[in-house]
Amino acid sequence: MKFIFHIFPFLLLCLNVSAQTIEENSETFANNEPISNTEIAIIPEPVRLIKQTGHFILPNNITIQVGKSAELKQTVAFLKERLSVPTGYYINSVNPPATNPTIKLVINDTEDATLGNEGYHLTVGTKQVIIRANKPAGIFYGVQSFIQLLPKEIESKEEIKGVKWTAPCVEVTDYPRLGWRGLMFDVARHFFTKQEVKQYIDAMVRYKYNILHLHLSDDEGWRIEIKGLPKLTEVGAWNVKREGTFGDFITPKPNEPRNYGGFYTQEDIKELVAYAKERFVDIMPEIDVPGHSLAAIASYPELSCTPEAVNYKVRSGEKIMDWSRGAPPLGLVDNTLCPANEKVYVFLDTVFSQIAQLFPFPYIHVGGDEVARNFWEKNDQIKELMKREGLKTIPEVQAYFEKRVEQIIVSKGKKFMAWDEVLEGGVSPTAAVMSWRNMQHGLDAAKAGHEVVMTPTQYAYIDYMQADAITEPKVYASLRLSKSYEFDPVPEGANAKFIKGGQANLWTEQVFNIRQAEYMTWPRGFAIAESVWSPKEKKNWTTFFAKTEAHFKRLDIAETKYAPSVYDPIFGVKRSADRNLLVTLSTEVEGLDIYYSFDNSFPDRFYPKYTTPLVPPIDAKVLKVITYRGKNPVGRMMNMPIEELEKRAGKR
Ligand code: ACM
């Protein structure tokens, strides 16, 4: 296919005959290439794509003709940069009229009802590209699809010579399934600089995400300047640098320097909000209360009901919760704001009035998750509050707190959003809910008339491991790409009217730097993007995975990190009738071979190929495996200790 792509485009004419839908456009390759036509690999899958004959060739002097130019200024600047940097071509933009512009961006005079606010129509002809939409957001998304039709080198951050800058001729009509297409980035557990957040935004807009949920406070850090509360950032933004497995770190000694972390000034936030807005992304702030609040309490201990809070420090990854009995956790320190203390509501009023000013997005997320109850259960102030307000249970105490917080949020002209635990003690009907523990909480909330965003752990927790724990950085749970791809935010029978959309969440306890944040986000971010944008009936795992491989190559050129974990084999273990270990190996994707060794040497394709369950030889210490596609290794070398397999198989 590459051969055809490079040699023939100049000979082909773009005729409106033999229109072919992309579904018909898959081919089998003899040379171990993935089974698909990767020349057209748009993620998320468009609503309708008709492939035409021929190719558009990008001229070295490009004219972009812009209709309502003021509205499209940022999109034009974006497109100019994306095209000019890798090609080195000259690009100018003009208002009509222009003779034969290369690219026309047109805001419809009469609205096209099918396209809505974010849809677009893209025509790539041999001589011209036209993107039409009702609104600027649609033009921006049309631009993203057009860029994905150009060769992968278009992702380069520097000029590349010798590339044939062509795109296949297509007609695309596209619009999103859902309006809320979010990614949550936890900048509290580890701090990510303003520049890194911009880098994250740059990657997400390629896949038509439109909401960046920033988790701005937690036990490990308070990340936003609040005027009049200077200790939040003087004290609350800093902890002790530790590396390894977060959660098991040794408690810092009093003299260890607290210089790891950081925060965004209000000017930084304005810059980020504007940067995101230019790319049609809204930033939703989250201040997580009443739990997850140790950074705020270390800054202002009077916000706690617990007198020992005067000695509390911002967490540096040491153990502060006992999860051995499940949720809710047992707090080893009291990381909750005190619902019985009026100072807390004064504090939150100050915080949320500034947050409301800084972030134009209508919703403020106030957390509400994983509140440890054990300190409240014993506290006299809480007991008094319960008596005074007629509260019978601790969840009702949280409900009292949430109602007060919602009053504050509403008084700032904003809408209240929180994690699904807030449903437990009863919450006002106007509260919007982010369903994370499973789909059911969200389905129930939608049925009860709450606005809901679906972000269930089972499909959308992209902090979880992507393959076996022997190769992945250790996290307490796993979520493979294929499972993420099954995400359906609005399943059959749901009260669809109230489900605003879906979101993937990147918690960063075990994510210490931006490269790892990218590794965790991609490719699962492709899967979630397709789950929230594309029509349900257009989703197809085989096609999606072929496109994913094409996008791996694009991310290589963009120098955006991604996880190759999908190529790693899946280990299964059981005991045979005579109690011996039986090891099964499988792959998440089709067409791969698995080679293995038990002799400590590195297997390649000349080693035994896995076909049936393996019984490890009596003295073997390690099973080494690697996947190939034909002659090419694609997976990573995995070293599985036999001892680990014995452990997984259970008692002999
Ligand atoms: C959460 O994952 N605690 C919302």
Side-chain angles (χ1 to χ4, degrees):
M1 193 61 214
K2 275 198 194 100
F3 177 76
I4 293 169
F5 178 39
H6 286 154
I7 306 296
F8 289 102
F10 309 101
L11 307 176
L12 297 173
L13 285 174
C14 193
L15 300 169
N16 266 346
V17 290
S18 69
Q20 181 189 24
T21 63
I22 187 69
E23 292 94 333
E24 296 159 22
N25 199 29
S26 289
E27 295 174 25
T28 307
F29 291 82
N31 62 351
N32 302 319
E33 289 255 310
I35 300 170
S36 83
N37 177 353
T38 52
E39 191 189 4
I40 299 179
I42 297 176
I43 297 178
E45 184 67 28
V47 171
R48 184 172 158 76
L49 184 150
I50 300 175
K51 188 179 183 324
Q52 312 283 9
T53 317
H55 284 77
F56 167 79
I57 305 164
L58 205 60
N60 60 11
N61 191 336
I62 299 165
T63 301
I64 303 174
Q65 182 186 304
V66 191
K68 294 172 188 163
S69 63
E71 278 187 289
L72 295 175
K73 201 165 142 238
Q74 285 125 356
T75 300
V76 171
F78 178 91
L79 178 59
K80 273 186 176 175
E81 187 179 330
R82 290 299 312 272
L83 296 182
S84 66
V85 171
T87 61
Y89 288 176
Y90 175 77
I91 304 176
N92 72 329
S93 56
V94 294
N95 283 327
T99 41
N100 299 326
T102 327
I103 301 172
K104 279 173 77 168
L105 306 180
V106 185
I107 296 282
N108 292 330
D109 284 333
T110 315
E111 288 224 346
D112 177 339
T114 41
L115 297 184
N117 289 338
E118 295 185 291
Y120 64 91
H121 187 86
L122 164 67
T123 306
V124 178
T126 46
K127 293 280 181 300
Q128 193 172 60
V129 173
I130 306 172
I131 302 172
R132 292 179 189 280
N134 295 332
K135 296 276 161 44
I139 299 286
F140 186 74
Y141 296 132
V143 162
Q144 299 304 330
S145 292
F146 170 58
I147 290 171
Q148 291 193 18
L149 290 168
L150 288 164
K152 60 184 186 305
E153 290 79 6
I154 203 73
E155 302 296 339
S156 175
K157 296 192 190 87
E158 58 207 11
E159 189 178 333
I160 304 192
K161 298 259 188 235
V163 178
K164 301 254 185 289
W165 300 106
T166 65
C169 292
V170 289
E171 284 283 340
V172 179
T173 304
D174 198 14
Y175 45 85
R177 179 178 177 203
L178 295 163
W180 187 297
R181 303 183 303 279
L183 281 178
M184 190 216 69
F185 193 12
D186 170 6
V187 293
R189 268 42 182 277
H190 286 99
F191 179 63
F192 294 84
T193 64
K194 183 174 58 176
Q195 202 47 46
E196 289 168 339
V197 175
K198 286 184 183 177
Q199 188 175 320
Y200 201 74
I201 293 169
D202 288 346
M204 68 188 271
V205 299
R206 287 175 157 85
Y207 301 103
K208 304 187 178 87
Y209 282 103
N210 65 352
I211 289 170
L212 176 67
H213 166 176
L214 280 184
H215 183 76
L216 286 165
S217 74
D218 215 299
D219 300 318
E220 298 76 10
W222 182 282
R223 304 300 181 201
I224 179 167
E225 176 193 18
I226 300 294
K227 310 255 192 229
L229 294 167
K231 286 193 193 163
L232 284 176
T233 42
E234 287 165 12
V235 175
W238 307 99
N239 62 8
V240 175
K241 182 172 169 136
R242 288 290 163 82
E243 286 171 310
T245 305
F246 185 98
D248 294 340
F249 293 155
I250 296 163
T251 304
K253 304 206 170 43
N255 61 354
E256 281 191 75
R258 292 191 160 264
N259 55 10
Y260 180 66
F263 65 93
Y264 311 110
T265 65
Q266 295 203 350
E267 288 311 305
D268 289 337
I269 291 289
K270 286 178 198 161
E271 189 181 322
L272 279 175
V273 166
Y275 187 88
K277 195 74 209 159
E278 283 173 6
R279 288 152 184 80
F280 299 90
V281 170
D282 284 309
I283 300 187
M284 177 174 71
E286 179 187 354
I287 297 294
D288 196 351
V289 291
H292 289 275
S293 291
L294 195 57
I297 291 165
S299 312
Y300 295 101
E302 62 271 28
L303 299 175
S304 170
C305 300
T306 299
E308 293 78 51
V310 288
N311 298 319
Y312 286 173
K313 297 278 189 270
V314 180
R315 185 186 183 210
S316 305
E318 66 276 23
K319 189 170 174 183
I320 62 164
M321 291 280 157
D322 179 355
W323 286 94
S324 58
R325 292 184 322 183
L330 202 64
L332 305 178
V333 298
D334 183 5
N335 68 343
T336 61
L337 301 186
C338 184
N341 182 350
E342 283 307 307
K343 279 187 190 159
V344 165
Y345 303 105
V346 175
F347 167 82
L348 291 176
D349 193 89
T350 304
V351 169
F352 287 128
S353 26
Q354 293 182 37
I355 298 257
Q357 288 290 316
L358 288 166
F359 294 90
F361 194 57
Y363 294 81
I364 294 179
H365 197 304
V366 300
D369 58 321
E370 298 178 324
V371 180
R373 296 172 180 170
N374 49 307
F375 284 90
W376 289 3
E377 278 160 2
K378 292 194 217 96
N379 185 274
D380 287 341
Q381 276 175 278
I382 300 283
K383 284 180 194 158
E384 264 169 49
L385 173 76
M386 291 176 81
K387 206 151 125 202
R388 193 181 76 226
E389 298 291 332
L391 310 172
K392 306 252 168 339
T393 62
I394 294 294
E396 285 180 31
V397 173
Q398 183 173 349
Y400 166 84
F401 174 84
E402 302 298 352
K403 284 199 184 101
R404 300 267 323 248
V405 174
E406 187 176 6
Q407 280 163 12
I408 296 172
I409 298 293
V410 169
S411 77
K412 312 300 169 202
K414 298 289 183 179
K415 295 190 195 177
F416 171 104
M417 177 170 276
W419 299 110
D420 60 53
E421 284 97 326
V422 299
L423 295 164
E424 281 170 18
V427 73
S428 95
T430 44
V433 171
M434 209 167 243
S435 182
W436 73 277
R437 289 179 294 174
N438 54 34
M439 293 285 293
Q440 196 57 46
H441 289 297
L443 295 174
D444 292 345
K447 208 170 271 172
H450 292 281
E451 287 187 323
V452 169
V453 173
M454 289 290 196
T455 173
T457 54
Q458 294 85 344
Y459 305 103
Y461 263 42
I462 57 172
D463 59 323
Y464 287 5
M465 293 181 289
Q466 301 175 70
D468 200 284
I470 62 159
T471 43
E472 295 297 327
K474 193 173 146 214
V475 184
Y476 60 94
S478 298
L479 172 61
R480 284 190 171 263
L481 176 64
S482 48
K483 185 74 184 171
S484 272
Y485 194 65
E486 288 172 19
F487 182 37
D488 179 3
V490 192
E492 209 65 42
N495 191 358
K497 184 169 153 225
F498 288 101
I499 300 180
K500 295 178 70 64
Q503 178 173 298
N505 292 340
L506 180 62
W507 301 104
T508 61
E509 286 97 325
Q510 310 297 347
V511 178
F512 290 70
N513 61 61
I514 186 68
R515 297 295 288 170
Q516 182 64 7
E518 291 175 347
Y519 175 96
M520 299 306 280
T521 305
W522 314 111
R524 288 179 296 189
F526 303 160
I528 303 295
E530 201 149 302
S531 302
V532 289
W533 178 284
S534 307
K536 212 164 161 166
E537 59 281 4
K538 295 288 282 197
K539 285 180 75 185
N540 175 298
W541 166 249
T542 308
T543 312
F544 170 75
F545 183 66
K547 293 190 297 177
T548 293
E549 292 200 288
H551 280 254
F552 281 167
K553 292 180 188 150
R554 301 181 86 88
L555 294 193
D556 282 337
I557 291 173
E559 297 187 298
T560 301
K561 199 167 185 177
Y562 58 87
S565 319
V566 65
Y567 295 116
D568 289 343
I570 301 163
F571 293 86
V573 275
K574 55 184 182 202
R575 298 248 177 239
S576 61
D578 51 3
R579 310 302 299 150
N580 278 328
L581 200 57
L582 265 183
V583 186
T584 56
L585 298 171
S586 56
T587 56
E588 197 173 353
V589 292
E590 285 176 11
L592 305 186
D593 297 319
I594 308 171
Y595 297 93
Y596 67 92
S597 79
F598 282 111
D599 62 8
N600 299 342
S601 65
F602 297 113
D604 59 22
R605 72 182 189 91
F606 300 95
Y607 274 60
K609 185 168 28 175
Y610 175 84
T611 50
T612 52
L614 305 172
V615 179
I618 190 159
D619 294 310
K621 288 280 182 289
V622 64
L623 166 60
K624 287 187 197 276
V625 298
I626 188 163
T627 55
Y628 272 65
R629 180 184 281 127
K631 294 185 175 183
N632 301 314
V634 288
R636 295 171 288 194
M637 185 68 65
M638 296 179 81
N639 302 299
M640 175 60 84
I642 303 300
E643 202 177 348
E644 171 64 21
L645 292 172
E646 288 282 359
K647 207 157 72 189
R648 290 184 189 185
K651 272 211 179 83
R652 244 185 195 285

